[in-house]
Amino acid sequence: MKSLIECIPNVSEGRRDDVVARIAESAVRAGPGVILLDRTSDKDHNRSVFTYLGDGPALVRGMTALVGAALEEIDLATHRGAHPRLGAVDVIPFVPVRGATSADCVALAKELGKSLADRYGLPVYLYEDAASSPERQNLANVRKGEFEGLAAKMKEAAWAPDFGPSAPHPRGGATVVGARAPLIAYNINLGTADLAVADRIAKAIRHLSGGYRFVKAMGVKLEARGQVQVSINMTNYEKTPLHRVFETVRSEAERHGVLVVGSEIVGLVPAPALFGAAAHYLRLEADPGPQVLENKLLDLAFSSKAE
Amino acid sequence: MKSLIECIPNVSEGRRDDVVARIAESAVRAGPGVILLDRTSDKDHNRSVFTYLGDGPALVRGMTALVGAALEEIDLATHRGAHPRLGAVDVIPFVPVRGATSADCVALAKELGKSLADRYGLPVYLYEDAASSPERQNLANVRKGEFEGLAAKMKEAAWAPDFGPSAPHPRGGATVVGARAPLIAYNINLGTADLAVADRIAKAIRHLSGGYRFVKAMGVKLEARGQVQVSINMTNYEKTPLHRVFETVRSEAERHGVLVVGSEIVGLVPAPALFGAAAHYLRLEADPGPQVLENKLLDLAFSSKAE
């Protein structure tokens, strides 16, 4: 395994456990080199998120198999759920992890898009770093109108798919494939029950309303704790780092007489995001990454596997 | 490789490069499972430090071979160097890295000690976590008197070796073997050229003079930078963490009107030491370790190797 890439397909089924399991396993059974790291389902959303790790060719093969399995099991014409979706397999991002670049992931997204169109007659849109035009970068734009509005949307020249026919797959709709930086889900909890404070801080830090370029944020009420939370998606921790967002939230909260009582990372986090925070606060003069013992172990582990 | 342990022999030869290389390689050639991560030599000290990684049995075999090679190449009776030393191979600490405990390392130290005594008639002292009495915990105590004073010291009942004869090996003296926590060499640079400030801060944080339990520190003048440095050895970052020492240095420096201009880690650092600093400053409510992507990669890499 020379390079390591993460692939996180979002599938429009979150209620039938046996079906979810079969779809998740189909990617692993397609051949060696694909590992299922995590899977979570949401019944309200009627949606599941799988996290795979592997090398590029193995992931393209695995994701092709996964879409095939999903098209057998899922019929979007009868699918209902709280989460917006365009396809039976709604979105498949590739994320570079180790020894791989964004460009590598863009190439994989295109390869997979072509494979899905050729094999299943499925329309495919490319998004984020793989997008063929600026208005396709944002997933929300591509998904607007959802499955139910897709047939009409596809008739517009601006929304011709990047691969496959200009009509929805009858059961599977369309799939959005792309490449992006690792995403960190990061929540900061405030010592107040006043949702307006969290909302105001979310507005201050998010890109949409004048905040940081790679931050999405909203205020959330934590009923059981009697607190509120600034719920954040960090879409590029290298360019907008954790510590900078944390310090801005802290400063904005204090302006309202409110303290940050804690923070939490949801799901996986790349080690360099935490090294960056340590380096900032400890005023380290050099990036500590090359000196981290565990990085040397990873180098050894994955270089010996490449032989 | 189910468990991973670091082993850092300090060898009393730092001038003859070919000899140093032969001794370093002897541990790797003794059999599979031992990797040489790093080696550094100091000509003034006439001493070399090797960092190996491996599983326990392979390291015991490798270190036994290394001591054999060193006894052939080095004669302490003619050895001169600035660094205090008791043996041709002066000290061999085992440090747990992954899937291993301090107790595992203590067991390895005893196994190696017995092996060196049986094979070479070499006296061996156990130190730090492996010490057989409190006065043997501190390496400086065990090494007091050095090779030149060893014959007399060994006649005292209190300094009978833990393994082997109560007389120095004629060429190799005695070897000190033990188990300890990972050590972090950490320097904090101050915006002043006044060495007295660094000395005073070092005194405030080091264990010897009333500071933190697992801190050794001294003031150092950085001539080229026109600054001074608090040079620190963190001997247990879990119990005395980086951020706490950094904040104390910062506070003590500000009391003298001096700012911390930067800090640096020398050599290797375990990732959890940096995660701990990030968690402190970001006020994380949970240890981020289990959520770190690279930790999942390490689990995969080393669990698959164990099969």
Side-chain angles (χ1 to χ4, degrees), chain A residues 234-265:
Chain A
M234 309 273 311
T235 58
N236 188 326
Y237 71 83
E238 289 180 346
K239 292 181 180 162
T240 303
L242 283 172
H243 69 262
R244 198 167 298 147
V245 173
F246 177 86
E247 288 299 330
T248 304
V249 169
R250 174 159 80 159
S251 158
E252 294 288 322
E254 283 176 9
R255 179 251 172 277
H256 298 286
V258 170
L259 287 175
V260 168
V261 298
S263 78
E264 53 193 49
I265 290 163

Side-chain angles (χ1 to χ4, degrees), chain A residues 48-130:
Chain A
S48 298
V49 178
F50 308 144
T51 305
Y52 296 97
L53 196 72
D55 61 59
L59 284 172
V60 169
R61 186 186 58 218
M63 292 307 107
T64 302
L66 177 141
V67 170
L71 289 174
E72 280 177 27
E73 303 274 10
I74 301 169
D75 184 358
L76 266 201
T78 61
H79 175 271
R80 298 291 175 272
H83 198 287
R85 78 284 178 268
L86 205 61
V89 178
D90 195 46
V91 52
I92 310 181
F94 290 92
V95 176
V97 168
R98 214 182 148 74
T101 64
S102 168
D104 297 334
C105 289
V106 168
L108 290 175
K110 291 179 179 173
E111 197 184 324
L112 176 62
K114 188 171 182 318
S115 165
L116 298 180
D118 290 351
R119 179 84 70 107
Y120 308 117
L122 185 72
V124 171
Y125 292 99
L126 297 170
Y127 85 117
E128 288 265 357
D129 298 350

Side-chain angles (χ1 to χ4, degrees), chain B residues 5-28:
Chain B
I5 289 163
E6 219 181 349
C7 191
I8 308 113
N10 288 227
V11 175
S12 296
E13 173 60 63
R15 294 176 187 162
R16 295 175 293 164
D17 279 347
D18 56 329
V19 169
V20 171
R22 273 202 299 278
I23 297 173
E25 283 160 23
S26 66
V28 179

Side-chain angles (χ1 to χ4, degrees), chain A residues 24-233:
Chain A
E25 283 160 25
S26 65
V28 178
R29 288 183 183 205
V34 174
I35 294 155
L36 180 63
L37 275 192
D38 186 63
R39 72 175 170 97
T40 53
S41 297
D42 187 302
K43 289 196 194 307
D44 293 330
H45 290 178
N46 199 6
R47 187 179 180 89
S48 298
V49 178
F50 308 144
T51 305
Y52 296 97
L53 196 72
D55 61 59
L59 284 172
V60 169
R61 186 186 58 218
M63 292 307 107
T64 302
L66 177 141
V67 170
L71 289 174
E72 280 177 27
E73 303 274 10
I74 301 169
D75 184 358
L76 266 201
T78 61
H79 175 271
R80 298 291 175 272
H83 198 287
R85 78 284 178 268
L86 205 61
V89 178
D90 195 46
V91 52
I92 310 181
F94 290 92
V95 176
V97 168
R98 214 182 148 74
T101 64
S102 168
D104 297 334
C105 289
V106 168
L108 290 175
K110 291 179 179 173
E111 197 184 324
L112 176 62
K114 188 171 182 318
S115 165
L116 298 180
D118 290 351
R119 179 84 70 107
Y120 308 117
L122 185 72
V124 171
Y125 292 99
L126 297 170
Y127 85 117
E128 288 265 357
D129 298 350
S132 56
S133 70
E135 59 269 26
R136 295 186 183 196
Q137 279 174 14
N138 192 330
L139 178 62
N141 273 349
V142 180
R143 202 155 52 190
K144 204 171 184 178
E146 295 195 45
F147 175 70
E148 287 70 14
L150 185 59
K153 183 174 183 170
M154 293 188 89
K155 285 177 186 153
E156 300 171 37
W159 288 104
D162 291 289
F163 299 99
S166 281
H169 185 286
R171 297 169 56 88
T175 294
V176 191
V177 178
R180 61 164 172 79
L183 182 146
I184 303 173
Y186 181 53
N187 299 328
I188 301 177
N189 302 327
L190 306 179
T192 177
D194 184 357
L195 184 59
V197 173
D199 280 337
R200 222 173 291 175
I201 295 173
K203 200 174 162 187
I205 61 168
R206 73 180 164 228
H207 183 234
L208 211 62
S209 45
Y212 290 111
R213 172 75 184 86
F214 296 103
V215 167
K216 299 175 182 176
M218 62 179 182
V220 171
K221 215 170 166 79
L222 304 178
E223 296 289 356
R225 292 172 61 141
Q227 296 174 347
V228 295
Q229 177 178 83
V230 187
S231 178
I232 305 167
N233 270 349

Side-chain angles (χ1 to χ4, degrees), chain B residues 23 43 49 121 134 150 155 158 162 169 190 195 204 212 217 235 305:
Chain B
I23 297 173
K43 289 197 195 306
V49 178
L150 185 58
K155 285 177 186 156
D162 290 291
H169 185 286
L190 305 179
L195 184 59
Y212 290 111
T235 58
K305 279 200 176 171

